[in-house]
Structure formats: structure tokens, C-alpha cells
């Protein structure tokens, strides 16, 4: 509970993550309205891309910076046994809870007949499972501290090439997976399989979160040196 409260405070009290959250929410609303009330995005690829994007965008903005925000106070976190594992769990649970925001917003295109409820649920669980699993791998490799209260753009949020590739994978791999399955099978059958994949990844989160934690701990000294150096440069 303490770590979930810490995560919520991170998103609500600090300028950078708060601004990113508002930006993601605004884009989500814009895309959902465009999908629901226009025919601009009626193609299969764009319909699924927008659905995936809406569910993933808030998680991408936060989880792609996993440990970079915490680099500001990582020494304190490391003083308690398995605190990093609890932090990762808290991040995951908060982001899963936030998925209900796009699920509610997607009611607009669902009621307008642009996407099905099954499509929304498949993307919901694919995000909570596969996409979040992909993004949280960055907890092992991020080692640059991000200042929480400076400009949102520019050097403050600059990432590595590997980080950029993971972010792109978080957005596009689910769409590619959906496109492949729907091209081989009927749409409902494909979506049910994707829903099953997402649920499987979601239910096994204790296993892959602990794996991420163990790999982080193996690199902790290298990462902590990177966090300290980047704080000094800021």
C-alpha cells in the first residue's frame, strides 16, 4: 500500500509525470472522439492501432521511465529488503487500475459500432499483460535519472535507442499480433485467442516481475552509478 501511494504521489505531485499524464489523456480523448464520430480511422489497422494506443499510452509514458524517476531517491529505496520488487508491483497495479480510464472512454466508439466490446477487452488484457511486460523490462536497463520538476521535453526526458525501440514495440507489436491473427482466423476467434494471451501474461505477473527484480539487482551497482552521475549532471 505504501508503494502504491508513493506511485500515485509521483503522478500527481511532480511536474513531469503529471504533465505527461495529462498529455496522454488528452490524446486518448482526441483519438476516441475521432474514431467514434468520423470515418477517418475506419480501416482495420487504424481502428486497432487507436484502440491499442488508447490503452497503452498512459502506461508507456510512465513505465518507459521506470526507475528513472526513482533515481532521484533510489538510495533510500535500496535500504529496505525487496523494496524494489514492491515498487515494481505497485507500478504494475496502479497502471492496471488506470486501464479502466480508456476502457470507459472506449464506450464511445463501442456504442457507435466502430469497435466491438470483445476488441476492447482483448486490447485491455493485451496491454495489462504483454505490453506492460515489455515496457517493464526497462526497469533493468534504465540508469539515467529524470528530474521530476523541470521541462517535460528536451534533455530532461531524453532516452536511449533501446528505450525508444521498447516504446515502439509497446505500441506496434500488439497491433501486429492482432493483424496477424485476424488475417489467419475469423475476427472473433482471433480476438478470443489474443484475450487469452493477455490474461495469461496478466495472471503470471508475479513471476515476470520477480524475474525483472532479480535482473535489476544483478545490475544494481552499475545502475546506481548511472543514476548518481545523471543527478550530478542535472
Amino acid at each position: 500500500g505504501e508503494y502504491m501511494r508513493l506511485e500515485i504521489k509521483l503522478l500527481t505531485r511532480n511536474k513531469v509525470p503529471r504533465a505527461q499524464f495529462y498529455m496522454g489523456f488528452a490524446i486518448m480523448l482526441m483519438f476516441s472522439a475521432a474514431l467514434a464520430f468520423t470515418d477517418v480511422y475506419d480501416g482495420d489497422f487504424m481502428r486497432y492501432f487507436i484502440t491499442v494506443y488508447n490503452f497503452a499510452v498512459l502506461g508507456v509514458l510512465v513505465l518507459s521511465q521506470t526507475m528513472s524517476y526513482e533515481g532521484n531517491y533510489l538510495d533510500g529505496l535500496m535500504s529496505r529488503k525487496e523494496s524494489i520488487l514492491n515498487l515494481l508491483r505497485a507500478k504494475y497495479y496502479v497502471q492496471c487500475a488506470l486501464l479502466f480510464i480508456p476502457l470507459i472512454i472506449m464506450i464511445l466508439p463501442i456504442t457507435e459500432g466502430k469497435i466491438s466490446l470483445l476488441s476492447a477487452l482483448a486490447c485491455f488484457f493485451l496491454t495489462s499483460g504483454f505490453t506492460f511486460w515489455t515496457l517493464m523490462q526497462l526497469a533493468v536497463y534504465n540508469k539515467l535519472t529524470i528530474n521530476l520538476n523541470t521541462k517535460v521535453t528536451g534533455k530532461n526526458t531524453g532516452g536511449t535507442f533501446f528505450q525508444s525501440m521498447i516504446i515502439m514495440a509497446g505500441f506496434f507489436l500488439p497491433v501486429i499480433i492482432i493483424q496477424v491473427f485476424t488475417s489467419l482466423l475469423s475476427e472473433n476467434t482471433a480476438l478470443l485467442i489474443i484475450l487469452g494471451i493477455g490474461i495469461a501474461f496478466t495472471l503470471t505477473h508475479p513471476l515476470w516481475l520477480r524475474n525483472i527484480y532479480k535482473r535489476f539487482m544483478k545490475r544494481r551497482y552499475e545502475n546506481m552509478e548511472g543514476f548518481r552521475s545523471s543527478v550530478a549532471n542535472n
Side-chain angles (χ1 to χ4, degrees), residues 108-119:
L108 282 173
I110 290 172
T111 55
E112 292 296 318
K114 295 301 181 74
I115 66 168
S116 65
L117 178 60
L118 179 58
S119 298

Side-chain angles (χ1 to χ4, degrees), residues 86-135:
N86 290 326
L87 176 70
L88 294 174
R89 285 174 179 154
K91 280 186 174 294
Y92 179 73
Y93 294 150
V94 168
Q95 290 305 316
C96 284
L98 290 176
L99 285 177
F100 286 95
I101 295 175
L103 185 62
I104 293 171
I105 291 174
M106 292 303 289
I107 291 175
L108 282 173
I110 290 172
T111 55
E112 292 296 318
K114 295 301 181 74
I115 66 168
S116 65
L117 178 60
L118 179 58
S119 298
L121 290 175
C123 290
F124 178 102
F125 282 104
L126 195 62
T127 302
S128 68
F130 177 78
T131 302
F132 286 175
W133 169 80
T134 303
L135 291 169

Side-chain angles (χ1 to χ4, degrees), residues 130-224:
F130 177 78
T131 302
F132 286 175
W133 169 80
T134 303
L135 291 169
M136 293 195 74
Q137 303 303 316
L138 287 168
V140 181
Y141 304 104
N142 286 345
K143 55 182 180 180
L144 297 178
T145 300
I146 291 179
N147 192 306
L148 293 168
N149 291 297
T150 59
K151 292 192 300 182
V152 176
T153 59
K155 183 179 178 181
N156 181 57
T157 54
T160 64
F161 175 76
F162 179 70
Q163 187 181 44
S164 299
M165 292 301 294
I166 291 292
I167 292 171
M168 293 293 288
F171 281 129
F172 287 103
L173 268 182
V175 183
I176 293 171
I177 291 170
I178 292 171
Q179 289 284 290
V180 169
F181 275 100
T182 53
S183 66
L184 297 174
L185 305 165
S186 68
E187 185 173 22
N188 284 346
T189 302
L191 291 173
L192 285 171
I193 293 173
I194 291 165
L195 177 63
I197 293 172
I199 291 174
F201 269 92
T202 302
L203 292 178
T204 57
H205 75 271
L207 300 177
W208 52 259
L209 282 176
R210 182 166 287 277
N211 175 263
I212 292 170
Y213 164 70
K214 289 179 178 178
R215 287 158 51 217
F216 171 85
M217 293 303 289
K218 289 180 180 179
R219 289 172 50 96
R220 63 187 182 277
Y221 297 117
E222 177 185 347
N223 288 6
M224 290 174 72

